Amino acid sequence: MLDIQHLKKTFGKNEVLKDISASVEKGQVICIIGPSGSGKSTFLRCLNVLEHPTAGKIIFDGTDLASLKDGKELDQLREKMGMVFQNFNLFPNMNVIENVKLAPMKVKGMSEAKAEKIGLELLEKVGLADRAKQFPTSLSGGQQQRVAIARALAMDPEVMLFDEPTSALDPEMVGEVLKTMKDLASSGMTMVIVTHEMGFAREVADQVWFMADGYLQEKGTPEEVFEHPTSERAKDFLAKVL
Ligand code: ATP
Ligand code: MG
């Protein structure tokens, strides 16, 4: 469903992504690992064109997103990609259910009653149905992140992109968010996840991609990448994090 061809992204003279080709099949869970500053976030942001690629193609449902200028067509394709960030980014002045139902109503023109119904079902799914009327600041980090996941799901996306969804959390909150993501993976959602949680990657990913120096240096099953890395860069990285 996503086909990335010779993706390149530079900021001024800084060549962050040099030449990346990869594809994501429907229902696959991809975990992207790699050292800090290697371009993982930039890569994810290129996938939904929050950053415009410098060169290359991102074919999503048959359309090259990289060739589109900001505008209606790009927005409509972006709506099919849910994104969850490290810092939740919930709207602080809205309660939980308002956060979840806003985009379906505003962007899709869904009726408030329907958005509310879907929103409550999604909150149920992430274990927060009883928190619908609370404001984000009254929730723990783990709960806020689960609301952010429900909010992204409310747009009924074809693929979910996660950028280090647990790195801003206190250790005791990490498990509940990973559990929510694991349930989502089991339900068949296509997911691309930048993460430092190697245990999660090993257990849940269909494919692990190791990024360093502007390239995907390794792509394979968790077993292949964690047990039999081929590049020195990956061996070195894994020796430090495993
Ligand atoms: P981390 O693990 O710390 O989150 P990362 O792998 O996500 O790192 P990126 O945030 O993608 O790495 O950054 C890769 C490089 O791109 C860095 O050198 C960063 O300074 C640069 N960069 C990222 N975004 C921009 C931007 N908007 N303008 C200029 N440079 C940028
Ligand atoms: Mg990052």
Side-chain angles (χ1 to χ4, degrees), residues 71-227:
K72 198 163 176 219
E73 191 180 2
L74 186 53
D75 284 345
Q76 283 176 346
L77 286 161
R78 269 196 196 120
E79 283 162 25
K80 299 182 187 178
M81 303 173 133
M83 183 136 185
V84 174
F85 303 90
Q86 190 172 338
N87 292 313
F88 332 135
N89 296 357
L90 295 175
F91 306 117
N93 56 334
M94 294 181 188
N95 70 26
V96 164
I97 186 68
E98 286 165 351
N99 262 278
V100 175
K101 68 190 186 186
L102 182 71
M105 286 165 59
K106 271 202 122 160
V107 180
K108 286 192 165 172
M110 194 181 279
S111 72
E112 178 153 20
K114 187 164 180 208
E116 173 112 7
K117 180 167 176 288
I118 291 172
L120 288 172
E121 282 166 13
L122 288 167
L123 289 176
E124 182 83 49
K125 202 163 153 180
V126 301
L128 291 171
D130 55 339
R131 306 294 173 133
K133 293 285 194 284
Q134 282 184 230
F135 281 81
T137 46
S138 72
L139 300 177
S140 72
Q143 290 168 335
Q144 289 185 55
Q145 192 59 301
R146 286 185 282 144
V147 173
I149 292 171
R151 183 178 62 176
L153 291 173
M155 288 296 284
D156 195 22
E158 287 179 25
V159 53
M160 287 279 285
L161 311 176
F162 295 84
D163 193 357
E164 299 199 31
T166 60
S167 352
L169 299 176
D170 290 335
E172 71 269 26
M173 314 275 170
V174 170
E176 67 192 53
V177 172
L178 294 181
K179 163 81 169 55
T180 301
M181 292 168 64
K182 211 168 131 182
D183 292 346
L184 195 55
S186 306
S187 77
M189 178 59 75
T190 311
M191 298 162 77
V192 182
I193 307 160
V194 173
T195 186
H196 291 296
E197 296 290 336
M198 299 300 153
F200 175 85
R202 194 187 282 255
E203 189 186 340
V204 180
D206 296 300
Q207 289 263 308
V208 174
W209 297 351
F210 172 72
M211 181 175 285
D213 306 326
Y215 298 99
L216 288 179
Q217 311 247 356
E218 308 260 343
K219 273 184 283 188
T221 63
E223 152 100 18
E224 284 164 349
V225 173
F226 289 122
E227 314 297 342

Side-chain angles (χ1 to χ4, degrees), residues 9-12 14-17 33-45 51 86 163-164 167 194 196 211:
K9 178 68 188 176
T10 58
F11 293 107
N14 188 3
E15 279 203 316
V16 178
L17 306 176
I33 62 172
S36 183
S38 60
K40 304 180 298 296
S41 296
T42 301
F43 176 68
L44 215 58
R45 293 166 62 80
E51 294 285 0
Q86 190 172 338
D163 193 357
E164 299 199 31
S167 352
V194 173
H196 291 296
M211 181 175 285

